[in-house]
Amino acid sequence: MEFPLPEAARRYVAAHLHDDPAHLALQARRHPHLPVPELVRQIQARQKARGKLPTWADNQELIFPPALSVEQASSERTATYKAALVAGANSLADLTGGFGADAAHFAAVVDQVDYVERDAHLAAVVAYNLDQLGISNIATHTGDAAAFLKQRDRQFDWLYLDPARRDKKGGKAFKLADCEPDVPRLLPLLLRHAPRILLKTSPMLDIELAIQELKHVRRLWVVAVENEVKEVLYELGEEPAVDPERLAVNLRRDGSQQEFRLNRAREARAVPRYAEAQQYLYEPNAAILKAGAFKSIGSAFELLKLQQHSHLYTSQDLRADFPGRIFKILATEKADGPALKTHLGPEGRAHVTTRNFPESVADFRRHTGIREGGDIYLFATTDLRGRFVVLVCEKLPAPA
């Protein structure tokens, strides 16, 4: 692709940024002097980027790679969070550069960043974009992580890697050794070039297995955005922690964040107390559950657990600082459509969650006739006595 886009091509992209790419492709013959297939790919990639990289998506000076590279890139919010972890360092090498979102955010808080990417075309796109963004403290390199390090004697304060999470057959990898690059195999080389390594993995990877594979984990972060886990970060070093601390982080819409710290020893020592549903219901955020805080979260906030496998908590007095969603319980019912609909508006709508319950949300809606929406929240779960119950709730606003 030509850098920068010719003026006519830029006008086409700007004019059709919100249109259906498939429809645009069918109309390509109307614009014989434009490379419409490539411009449609630009539009598709910008549309993909709108949710996670809005600042870049709105910048008409940038060139976008194929949509898959955008899909695999960090969002602005998670990239900003990662940058805060390495702030103040003199040097960092991003060994799996991709679309450059992480490198650009690292460059805002690190003196010198080296960006390394195997795909020469993608590396050229990123170099061009960095120039348009006015970022001058990133050096771009084409090649793989191992080759880049073997050609250099220098030390870095940090190395950063985000291994590709697809196996050779195109499926999703569930072990780090099946990702590219193979970080466990590369660790001796990595640790010769930096005392600290920041590794990003997919939430699909099992945390306990990753700790066993890596053997050098100092601490880790489970990062969610608006209650959806997006990535797990590991800090690696020559001296691992015996029991790495885990920080569960939920980045909220208003810019604030919820945090909860735990480790395996603290979780193992926690002794839950159980009770029937009381006045308030607490649902831990997704980062806490991914981090493995199934007991210690209740102990930390002096809450009572509804049942061993439900991972829902209750209390008589409000704990407004709880890191998750909080509800006021209005009633406890059986999973019976007519009984539940007495608590709903005329349209029979409610938000439904099933936890430790024999039906999926779709099956529950099907057999009760309850549609999505409204102001009431239904939690279908199992209580202390093993009964299937539905807690009828209203959601409390998040604390300021």
Side-chain angles (χ1 to χ4, degrees):
M1 155 150 304
E2 189 177 345
F3 301 165
L5 288 178
E7 185 57 34
R10 287 156 57 95
R11 285 199 304 269
Y12 178 91
V13 170
H16 298 286
L17 201 50
H18 303 285
D19 294 344
D20 178 7
H23 182 66
L24 294 175
L26 292 173
Q27 295 182 328
R29 66 183 64 184
R30 296 185 182 180
H31 307 276
H33 304 299
L34 291 176
V36 171
E38 179 55 45
L39 298 182
V40 168
R41 285 193 285 273
Q42 286 288 305
I43 291 167
Q44 283 178 311
R46 284 181 180 272
Q47 289 176 352
K48 283 271 186 188
R50 194 175 298 135
K52 59 164 51 179
L53 293 165
T55 304
W56 287 17
D58 290 340
N59 189 328
Q60 296 301 314
E61 304 301 321
L62 304 187
I63 298 293
F64 277 69
L68 180 60
S69 294
V70 178
E71 208 172 282
Q72 294 174 338
S74 294
S75 69
E76 287 182 13
R77 296 181 71 180
T78 59
T80 299
Y81 185 83
K82 286 193 288 287
L85 301 180
V86 302
N90 291 318
S91 61
L92 177 148
D94 180 346
L95 299 176
T96 51
F99 189 30
D102 284 322
H105 284 78
F106 289 141
V109 296
V110 175
D111 292 340
Q112 178 61 43
V113 174
D114 285 87
Y115 160 100
V116 183
E117 170 53 48
R118 293 189 306 172
D119 184 325
H121 176 72
L122 181 55
V125 168
V126 170
Y128 172 82
N129 286 344
L130 293 174
D131 188 50
Q132 304 311 302
L133 292 166
I135 299 174
S136 58
N137 60 330
I138 298 180
T140 60
H141 311 269
T142 301
D144 67 25
F148 172 79
L149 292 177
K150 287 174 183 176
Q151 292 166 5
R152 284 159 181 80
D153 295 327
R154 62 178 287 206
Q155 284 281 112
F156 298 89
D157 293 332
W158 284 91
L159 297 178
Y160 172 71
L161 297 99
D162 175 11
R165 294 177 292 279
R166 297 190 181 277
D167 64 23
K168 292 175 183 175
K169 295 180 182 178
K172 290 188 176 179
F174 294 94
K175 291 174 60 180
L176 279 167
D178 296 330
C179 295
E180 181 60 42
D182 179 347
V183 174
R185 183 179 61 81
L186 282 181
L187 263 176
L189 175 64
L190 299 174
L191 289 169
R192 283 201 297 272
H193 284 271
R196 292 176 292 183
I197 299 160
L198 186 62
L199 173 66
K200 169 187 168 182
T201 74
S202 161
M204 298 291 290
L205 290 172
D206 181 83
I207 288 174
E208 308 305 332
L209 179 58
I211 291 173
Q212 290 176 25
E213 281 188 279
L214 292 165
K215 298 184 176 64
H216 286 267
V217 179
R218 287 178 168 175
R219 61 181 65 86
L220 65 92
W221 299 261
V222 179
V223 183
V225 177
E226 294 170 24
N227 206 32
E228 181 182 353
V229 178
K230 294 296 187 180
E231 54 196 49
V232 181
L233 307 171
Y234 299 82
E235 181 189 332
L236 312 177
E238 192 64 53
E239 296 296 329
V242 174
D243 184 6
E245 183 176 65
R246 307 169 189 213
L247 183 61
V249 182
N250 182 40
L251 307 177
R252 299 198 289 187
R253 191 185 303 274
D254 63 3
S256 66
Q257 61 190 51
Q258 298 171 322
E259 295 185 355
F260 183 71
R261 295 179 185 274
L262 71 145
N263 59 21
R264 290 189 67 180
R266 217 171 302 153
E267 178 67 16
R269 287 195 304 267
V271 179
R273 295 182 298 138
Y274 298 95
E276 302 288 349
Q278 299 188 357
Q279 187 167 358
Y280 296 101
L281 181 73
Y282 302 84
E283 181 190 35
N285 67 49
I288 287 171
L289 296 178
K290 176 64 181 178
F294 302 118
K295 299 185 298 181
S296 55
I297 185 67
S299 300
F301 288 87
E302 299 179 337
L303 301 175
L304 304 167
K305 200 169 187 181
L306 291 185
Q307 203 267 354
Q308 180 181 358
H309 302 295
S310 296
H311 308 317
L312 294 170
Y313 300 83
T314 190
S315 72
Q316 192 60 35
D317 299 319
L318 178 63
R319 289 302 307 262
D321 56 343
F322 180 79
R325 298 196 299 174
I326 307 174
F327 303 85
K328 186 172 183 181
I329 299 173
L330 305 177
T332 302
E333 297 281 4
K334 294 180 180 179
D336 175 72
L340 290 170
K341 285 181 179 178
T342 63
H343 301 281
L344 311 181
E347 294 186 348
R349 294 181 180 274
H351 304 277
V352 176
T353 298
T354 58
R355 283 281 180 85
N356 192 24
F357 193 77
E359 291 182 328
S360 67
V361 171
D363 289 339
F364 180 91
R365 290 193 183 282
R366 196 175 298 116
H367 104 251
T368 60
I370 293 172
R371 294 184 291 167
E372 173 66 25
D375 298 322
I376 295 296
Y377 291 74
L378 303 178
F379 283 83
T381 188
T382 303
D383 73 5
L384 188 55
R385 289 185 276 177
R387 300 174 302 178
F388 299 134
V389 297
V390 180
L391 304 177
V392 182
C393 306
E394 62 181 11
K395 187 181 176 186
L396 299 187

